[in-house]
Amino acid sequence: MFKNFISTLGLILIFSQFAFSQQGVVKGKVMDGEFNDVLPFANIAIKGESKGTTTDFEGAYSLDVNAGTYTIVFSFIGYTSQEITDVVVEAGKTVEVNVTLQPSSAVLDEVVVTTTVRKNTEASVLNLQKNSVTLMDGLSLEGIKKTGASNIASAIKRVPGVSVQEGKYVYVRGLGDRYTKSILNGMDVPGLDPDKNTLQMDIFPTNILENIIVLKSASADLPADFTGGVVDIITKDFPTQKQMSFSASVGYTPSMHFKSNYLSYDGGATDFLGFDDGTRELPFSENANIPSPSDQSNNSILDDFTRRLEPNMAAQEQTSMPDFSLGFSYGNQFDIGENKLGVIASLDYKNETEFYEGFENGIYQKNPESDINELRFDRRQQGDLGKNNVLASALAGLSFKTNRSKYRLNLLHIQNGEKRAAIFDQRTEISNAIDVVKDNLEYTQRSVSNLLLSGKHTSKDASFITEWSVSPTLSKVEDKDVRLTTFIIQPDGYSISSDAGFPNRLWRNLEEVNAVGKLDLTKNYNLFSNKAVLKFGGLYSYKQRDYSINNYNIAFFDFDTSSLNGNPDAILEPDNIWTPENNSGSYIRGNYQPANTFDSNQNTAAAYVSNEFKFAEKFRAILGLRAEYFTTFFTGQNNTGSEVYDNEKTIDELDFFPSANLIYEFQEGKNFRASYSRTTARPSFKELSVVQIPDLLTGVIFLGNINLEPTYIDNFDFRFEIFGDRAQMFAISSFYKKFKKPIEIVAYDITAPNQFTPRNSPEAEVLGIELEARKNFGFISEGLSDLSVNLNVSIIDSEIEMAKGEGQEYDSRVIFARDGETIKDTRTLQGQSPFLINAGLSYNNRDLGLETGVFFNVQGKTLEVVGFGQNPDVFTQPFNSLNFNLAKAFGKEKNSKISFKMENILDEKRQSFYESYGAADQNFSYRQPGMALSLGYSLSF
C-alpha cells in the first residue's frame, strides 16, 4: 500500500515536472496612457483561447501558457483594447510584455501593436515622458547598454541638459552641484561626498538598474531643494524571471599605466578592499597632552609619542597597474502561497589607478599697478601625482507582494578608499620668495550604509493608495594620517624651517547620520467627468554631522635639517628623533583643534498636497503646494576663538513652494508643456560653519560662512515635443530662472588668495534653450533602421548682479581694474555653463548581437571661482569628450558579450584658468587624463 502510494506520488511529480517544463510564462505590466500610472485589474487574454488573467494593484500580471506563439489581448473598460501579436513563449522561460492602454475617447479605432514593449526599453521611457505632466527626461537600461557604459555616470550624459563633472557628479542644465539633486528609488540618500547634493554616479553598476529619470520641473511631492533637476535612480524590483550575471573588465591608459615612476607609498594590508586596516589610525589619544622638549617635568614621554608615528614620509616610485573591475548580480521571484517574493543582489568592485605627470596648480593675483596686465603668482606648483581608487558596493533587496500590499527592503553599502601620493616643486613669489619641494601622502576612506524599508497598500478597488518609506543612512569620511613634508631648496642643499612650514600630519573625521521618513497618500476620483488624482503626504528628515580634525607637525630641537639631505623618510629615523639623552632631533607637537571641530544638524519637516486632473479633452494639469520647515543648529568656534556657538539656530525658515504643470496634447504624440515652480538651494554643513578646511596638495583653504542664507528660485519652463515610433522624438524647450540670494564660491579677500568661501549674491537670472532629437535611419532604408542618431544641445545665458558698496565685489573689481578695462555691474553665475552638447551615433542589431556607437559630450567654459579685488576669476575650460563603444553578443540566447571601449579619444586636458583683462591665462588646475582603453566580458543566465 505504502509502496503504491510512493510510486503514484513519484509519477505525479514526474508528470508535473514534465508538464511544467513544457510551459512558459508571460509577465509584464499594464500602464494607464492617460495618467502616468499603472492600470489595476486590466484584463489579459490569449486570443482564441479561454485562458486569461487580470493585473494586480500595481498593474502587474503573470500568465502560464504552453510553449508556442500567441496573440495576447489587453483590455479595460473605457480604454482601447490592444493586441500584441507574435509573442513567442519557450518552455521553461519567461517573456516580458508591457503595454500602455489609451482611453477610448482619445483613440477611436482599435490599435494593434506588433512588437512587445518592455518597461526598461527606450520606447517605454519615452512613453513615461510623453504621459508625464511634469517635465522629465529619461534613460532606459537599453539606452545605457547602447553606450557601453558600465555605470550611470558614463551613460547619463545622453540626457538633454545633463553634464558629468569629475567623471561622477551629475549637473542638470549646466547649473552647479547645489542645484541638482539625486535620489535613489524616490528617497534622499547621501553620497560618498556628503557635502554634495548629488550622489556619486559611478558607484551604481548598470546591471541593477531599471531606468533613470531626470525631472526638470517641480511638483509638490518632490523635495523643494533642487532647481536644475532631480535625478531618480530606479533599481530593479521584482525580476520577471531568474537572472544572474557576471562581468569583468580591464582598462589601460597608455599615459598612466605600467609607468615605473608612478608614485605611491606603503599603506595597510586591506587597502585593496577600500579601507585601512588600522595602520593609519591616530597612534595615541586625541586628547593626549604632548609635552615639549623644554618641559623637563614631562618630556621623557615625548620620544615615545614621536616614535609611534609611521616613519614613511616620502612618496615612493612604483609601477602603476591597469584598472580592473568585477561585477555580479542576481535576481529571482518566488511564489509563497498566493504571495510573491522578489530577490535582488549585486556586488561590484573597481580598482582604478591614475597617474598625472606634470600636474599643475597655481594661485595668481593681479598686479597692484593698474598699468601692468600680466598676472603674477603667489605660488605655483608642478609635479607628479599618483592615485589608486578602490570602490566596492553591495546591494541586497527583498520585495514581498500580497494581493493588496507590497513591502520592500533594500540594503546598500558603499566602500571607497583612495590613496594619493605626489612629489612637486613649488615657487612662491608674493608672500615669500622661496623654492621648495614637497612630498604629499594622503589616504581618504569613505563609506555609506543605507537601509530602505518601504510599503505600498491599496484599497479593494485600488482607488486609494498609501505609500510609506523609512530610510536611515550612516556616512563616514576619514582622512587618515595625511602627511606633507616641505624642504626649502638651498644653493647647497635642502632645509626645513617655519618659512615654508614644518612637516605636517593630519587626521580628519566626519560622521553623518541621515534619517528620512516619508508618507504619500493617493486618491483616484472623478473631476469634470474625468479621472483625477489627489496626492498628499509629508516628510521628515534629520541630518546630524560630527566633524573633527587633529593636526600635528614635526619640529626640530637643536638639529641641523640640512643633514636630512632632502629625504622625508630620514625625519623620523630612530637616530634623528629627539630624546632627553641627546637633547636634539625631531619631535611631534600639536593637539586636538576645537576651532576646526563642529557638531551640526539640519531638520526638514514637509507637507504637501497636489491634484492631477483633466479639465478639457486635451488639457491636463498638476497643481500643488508644498510647505517645508527647515532649521539648522551649529556648535563650534572660529579659528581665533572669538566666536563660540553652542547649539545655535542658524537657519529657521518656514517656506511655501507652489507648483503648476500644464500639458496640452495637440494630437497623439504631440504635446505642449508649461510649468511654474518655486524651489530653494540651501547651504551645506561645511558652508554654514566657521571651520577652515585645508587641502594640503593644492594649498587651497575652504572657509565656512555662518551667515549664509538659503537661495530661492522661481522657475518657468516651456516645451514642445513630438513622439514617434521606434523610440524617435523631437523636443524644443526653454526655461527661465530667477534667483534670490544665490550662493557662490568666491575668493575670500586680497590678502589671502588661496582662501575661498561661500557668499550670497543679491540676485541672478538664467535663460536657456534645449533641443533634443532621436532619429533612426529607417526613413532612408529599412536596412538602416538599426542605425540611429541622438543629439541634444543646451544654450544657456546667466547674469548676476554684483553686490555694491565698500568691501563688496563690484567696488573691489573697480579698484583693481586694469587700464582700459570696463567693469560691468553684472557677470555670469558661478557654476553655470553657457552651453552643453551631447551627440551619439549608434548601431544596435539584436539579431547579430552587435552594438556599437560613437558619443560626444562637451560643456562650455564655466565660472568656477568668483574673483575678488586682486584675485581674478577662475574658469573651468571645456573638455571635449569623444568615446567609442563596440559590443558583440554570442550564443543562441545572446547571453555572452565581449565589449571594447575607447574614452577621451581626443586626448583632452582638464584645465581651469585664471582669466584677467589683457593678461595671458594662467593655470589654476591642470590634469591630463589621457586616452583610456578597456576590454570587458559579461555573462548572463
Side-chain angles (χ1 to χ4, degrees):
M1 181 75 176
F2 180 73
K3 289 183 178 180
N4 291 336
F5 173 77
I6 294 297
S7 300
T8 303
L9 180 60
L11 289 173
I12 292 173
L13 290 174
I14 293 171
F15 178 78
S16 299
Q17 182 66 31
F18 175 78
F20 178 77
S21 67
Q22 303 307 303
Q23 287 192 325
V25 180
V26 180
K27 288 185 177 181
K29 185 167 284 191
V30 180
M31 301 293 293
D32 185 340
E34 183 176 16
F35 287 80
N36 229 8
D37 201 358
V38 299
L39 197 59
F41 313 127
N43 299 308
I44 298 96
I46 302 296
K47 190 172 184 179
E49 298 185 14
S50 59
K51 199 160 195 172
T53 187
T54 60
T55 59
D56 64 12
F57 69 95
E58 286 197 309
Y61 72 93
S62 177
L63 192 59
D64 296 332
V65 295
N66 293 325
T69 302
Y70 299 93
T71 295
I72 304 177
V73 182
F74 297 84
S75 62
F76 190 74
I77 297 174
Y79 288 74
T80 301
S81 299
Q82 290 194 23
E83 293 184 1
I84 309 297
T85 63
D86 299 326
V87 178
V88 179
V89 180
E90 297 183 37
K93 295 185 179 180
T94 299
V95 60
E96 185 177 356
V97 180
N98 299 323
V99 301
T100 299
L101 297 184
Q102 302 292 341
S104 56
S105 59
V107 183
L108 297 179
D109 298 325
E110 185 174 87
V111 177
V112 177
V113 182
T114 57
T115 58
T116 61
V117 181
R118 298 191 307 272
K119 185 182 177 184
N120 60 351
T121 63
E122 287 190 284
S124 64
V125 170
L126 287 177
N127 198 55
L128 290 175
Q129 290 180 226
K130 180 175 70 172
N131 295 322
S132 173
V133 180
T134 54
L135 187 64
M136 63 169 283
D137 289 294
L139 187 63
S140 68
L141 179 58
E142 184 179 80
I144 294 172
K145 288 180 178 178
K146 280 186 178 181
T147 68
S150 59
N151 60 68
I152 300 175
S154 302
I156 200 170
K157 290 181 287 188
R158 292 187 64 204
V159 176
V162 169
S163 60
V164 176
Q165 300 298 312
E166 302 176 41
K168 51 193 172 186
Y169 298 112
V170 172
Y171 297 166
V172 179
R173 288 180 162 172
L175 290 161
D177 166 76
R178 74 175 71 253
Y179 301 112
T180 301
K181 190 172 187 68
S182 302
I183 56 179
L184 179 64
N185 294 317
M187 292 294 284
D188 191 358
V189 177
L192 290 174
D193 186 343
D195 290 310
K196 290 187 177 292
N197 209 30
T198 59
L199 287 166
Q200 188 171 324
M201 291 295 173
D202 61 346
I203 65 179
F204 294 102
T206 57
N207 54 20
I208 67 169
L209 297 178
E210 188 69 48
N211 50 49
I212 308 167
I213 301 298
V214 180
L215 298 159
K216 296 181 179 177
S217 66
S219 58
D221 59 323
L222 294 173
D225 56 337
F226 83 93
T227 298
V230 172
V231 181
D232 192 0
I233 304 161
I234 303 171
T235 59
K236 292 178 180 177
D237 189 356
F238 268 90
T240 57
Q241 58 184 324
K242 181 181 178 180
Q243 300 170 341
M244 191 179 299
S245 66
F246 170 80
S247 63
S249 70
V250 61
Y252 170 66
T253 302
S255 64
M256 291 188 178
H257 298 136
F258 299 114
K259 295 287 186 178
S260 60
N261 60 336
Y262 168 74
L263 296 177
S264 186
Y265 72 100
D266 292 334
T270 57
D271 285 2
F272 76 101
L273 296 175
F275 62 89
D276 178 61
D277 63 356
T279 301
R280 303 178 180 89
E281 292 294 334
L282 186 66
F284 37 75
S285 169
E286 65 176 21
N287 297 317
N289 184 17
I290 301 176
S292 67
S294 60
D295 183 5
Q296 296 186 4
S297 64
N298 199 31
N299 63 8
S300 61
I301 62 173
L302 178 58
D303 66 321
D304 178 59
F305 278 110
T306 306
R307 294 177 195 275
R308 293 184 191 181
L309 296 172
E310 283 291 316
N312 179 206
M313 299 279 284
Q316 302 164 356
E317 289 191 349
Q318 300 177 2
T319 298
S320 55
M321 302 307 294
D323 302 336
F324 66 93
S325 67
L326 298 169
F328 172 80
S329 68
Y330 170 82
N332 207 348
Q333 183 181 141
F334 305 93
D335 292 328
I336 310 294
E338 295 184 355
N339 305 317
K340 296 184 182 298
L341 177 68
V343 178
I344 61 169
S346 173
L347 294 172
D348 196 60
Y349 177 85
K350 299 176 185 176
N351 193 312
E352 298 176 332
T353 300
E354 300 174 47
F355 183 44
Y356 298 99
E357 294 184 272
F359 86 89
E360 288 187 30
N361 288 100
I363 303 293
Y364 285 78
Q365 285 191 314
K366 301 175 186 176
N367 197 294
E369 305 297 328
S370 63
D371 60 342
I372 301 177
N373 290 339
E374 291 303 324
L375 296 174
R376 55 179 188 160
F377 62 88
D378 176 74
R379 68 189 67 183
R380 184 165 58 196
Q381 301 173 180
Q382 186 176 38
D384 296 338
L385 170 65
K387 292 183 180 181
N388 178 245
N389 190 71
V390 174
L391 180 65
S393 63
L395 173 70
L398 293 174
S399 297
F400 184 72
K401 183 189 284 189
T402 67
N403 288 334
R404 289 166 51 185
S405 295
K406 184 172 79 171
Y407 303 90
R408 186 174 185 181
L409 175 65
N410 273 8
L411 299 172
L412 171 68
H413 181 78
I414 305 166
Q415 189 69 43
N416 174 232
E418 183 176 323
K419 181 164 62 174
R420 301 175 294 278
I423 300 177
F424 54 96
D425 296 319
Q426 176 179 295
R427 170 73 180 174
T428 57
E429 281 284 349
I430 299 175
S431 53
N432 52 0
I434 57 174
D435 291 293
V436 301
V437 59
K438 293 188 175 185
D439 281 65
N440 179 261
L441 310 180
E442 300 187 27
Y443 187 81
T444 300
Q445 178 178 304
R446 307 178 182 93
S447 65
V448 175
S449 301
N450 171 257
L451 181 148
L452 172 62
L453 178 63
S454 63
K456 182 177 182 180
H457 315 277
T458 180
S459 60
K460 188 174 182 180
D461 61 355
S463 64
F464 189 81
I465 299 172
T466 302
E467 296 179 84
W468 55 268
S469 302
V470 178
S471 181
T473 305
L474 176 63
S475 303
K476 291 184 178 181
V477 181
E478 300 169 90
D479 288 325
K480 290 176 169 285
D481 201 0
V482 178
R483 312 165 204 181
L484 178 65
T485 306
T486 304
F487 280 95
I488 299 174
I489 302 174
Q490 305 284 10
D492 56 349
Y494 302 90
S495 67
I496 297 175
S497 77
S498 59
D499 291 339
F502 290 103
N504 204 214
R505 306 290 285 257
L506 193 69
W507 283 261
R508 289 184 286 216
N509 296 286
L510 181 154
E511 183 171 304
E512 180 176 319
V513 175
N514 186 331
V516 183
K518 183 183 177 189
L519 176 66
D520 298 293
L521 305 169
T522 304
K523 173 63 178 175
N524 297 326
Y525 70 105
N526 288 326
L527 181 66
F528 307 128
S529 300
N530 292 302
K531 177 183 174 182
V533 180
L534 175 68
K535 289 190 72 173
F536 56 98
L539 171 146
Y540 184 77
S541 170
Y542 172 79
K543 300 179 182 179
Q544 185 270 334
R545 176 182 295 185
D546 280 321
Y547 177 82
S548 63
I549 180 171
N550 290 75
N551 194 1
Y552 305 87
N553 59 49
I554 299 172
F556 302 88
F557 187 84
D558 193 22
F559 184 84
D560 182 8
T561 57
S562 65
S563 65
L564 300 172
N565 297 317
N567 179 13
D569 283 345
I571 295 171
L572 292 176
E573 286 183 354
D575 292 342
N576 292 331
I577 294 176
W578 181 93
T579 66
E581 290 74 26
N582 62 28
N583 200 29
S584 173
S586 59
Y587 66 93
I588 184 174
R589 66 181 183 182
N591 50 45
Y592 173 75
Q593 291 192 331
N596 282 319
T597 297
F598 71 85
D599 179 0
S600 185
N601 65 77
Q602 298 178 349
N603 308 270
T604 305
Y608 75 91
V609 60
S610 72
N611 197 24
E612 180 176 356
F613 58 96
K614 192 173 183 180
F615 55 89
E617 183 179 346
K618 294 182 178 293
F619 274 102
R620 280 194 296 137
I622 293 182
L623 304 179
L625 180 66
R626 185 179 185 88
E628 289 194 355
Y629 180 47
F630 180 76
T631 57
T632 62
F633 296 85
F634 181 80
T635 297
Q637 68 181 61
N638 67 355
N639 203 42
T640 63
S642 60
E643 298 179 44
V644 180
Y645 301 87
D646 184 10
N647 201 35
E648 183 162 332
K649 186 180 288 186
T650 49
I651 295 179
D652 185 0
E653 298 286 348
L654 173 61
D655 297 305
F656 294 91
F657 301 98
S659 60
N661 292 271
L662 307 174
I663 179 172
Y664 175 71
E665 186 181 21
F666 291 96
Q667 52 184 284
E668 174 65 22
K670 296 181 180 179
N671 299 324
F672 176 76
R673 302 176 182 274
S675 70
Y676 163 77
S677 61
R678 186 172 186 255
T679 57
T680 186
R682 299 176 177 124
S684 68
F685 277 114
K686 77 173 184 180
E687 289 177 334
L688 194 67
S689 73
V690 292
V691 299
Q692 297 186 11
I693 303 177
D695 183 331
L696 297 188
L697 175 66
T698 64
V700 169
I701 300 175
F702 178 89
L703 306 179
N705 181 357
I706 200 70
N707 298 312
L708 280 178
E709 300 179 54
T711 303
Y712 295 99
I713 308 100
D714 290 301
N715 307 274
F716 299 87
D717 287 273
F718 306 92
R719 173 185 274 192
F720 174 71
E721 57 194 13
I722 302 174
F723 294 90
D725 58 0
R726 296 183 178 180
Q728 299 179 105
M729 65 94 65
F730 170 83
I732 183 167
S733 310
S734 64
F735 58 89
Y736 171 78
K737 299 178 183 294
K738 179 75 171 180
F739 294 74
K740 180 182 178 183
K741 297 183 178 179
I743 301 171
E744 300 184 294
I745 302 300
V746 304
Y748 184 65
D749 61 28
I750 61 174
T751 62
N754 66 323
Q755 296 182 3
F756 302 134
T757 190
R759 286 180 182 162
N760 289 106
S761 295
E763 61 180 32
E765 295 180 325
V766 173
L767 180 66
I769 296 176
E770 292 177 342
L771 175 68
E772 179 184 13
R774 302 185 192 185
K775 181 69 176 176
N776 68 53
F777 289 85
F779 67 96
I780 298 176
S781 168
E782 184 62 28
L784 295 176
S785 60
D786 293 328
L787 181 67
S788 61
V789 64
N790 178 82
L791 173 68
N792 62 77
V793 179
S794 302
I795 301 173
I796 308 160
D797 180 60
S798 66
E799 185 176 273
I800 192 167
E801 180 184 334
M802 297 185 201
K804 297 179 180 179
E806 185 178 352
Q808 299 297 319
E809 180 188 350
Y810 175 74
D811 291 50
S812 77
R813 289 178 181 264
V814 171
I815 292 171
F816 288 94
R818 309 290 89 184
D819 283 352
E821 182 181 10
T822 301
I823 302 297
K824 298 180 180 180
D825 60 358
T826 60
R827 56 166 170 77
T828 58
L829 178 67
Q830 185 259 328
Q832 175 66 69
S833 173
F835 68 85
L836 296 165
I837 300 175
N838 299 308
L841 180 66
S842 60
Y843 178 80
N844 182 14
N845 187 305
R846 292 181 181 275
D847 295 332
L848 295 177
L850 180 64
E851 298 175 358
T852 187
V854 180
F855 306 93
F856 175 78
N857 171 265
V858 67
Q859 175 176 326
K861 185 173 74 173
T862 304
L863 180 59
E864 182 176 347
V865 179
V866 179
F868 186 88
Q870 285 180 250
N871 305 312
D873 296 324
V874 177
F875 288 89
T876 303
Q877 303 304 302
F879 182 85
N880 295 282
S881 175
L882 180 64
N883 304 318
F884 169 77
N885 171 67
L886 174 65
K888 179 69 173 72
F890 298 92
K892 181 181 177 181
E893 305 296 331
K894 300 292 190 291
N895 59 349
S896 178
K897 181 186 291 186
I898 294 177
S899 60
F900 172 74
K901 304 174 191 175
M902 298 175 64
E903 297 182 347
N904 192 22
I905 295 174
L906 301 178
D907 197 23
E908 284 283 277
K909 305 172 182 65
R910 296 195 181 276
Q911 291 178 288
S912 295
F913 287 152
Y914 280 102
E915 295 187 8
S916 180
Y917 178 82
D921 295 342
Q922 301 292 345
N923 275 325
F924 174 71
S925 176
Y926 169 89
R927 306 284 190 275
Q928 186 164 5
M931 182 181 69
L933 310 173
S934 68
L935 184 66
Y937 174 77
S938 63
L939 176 66
S940 59
F941 44 89

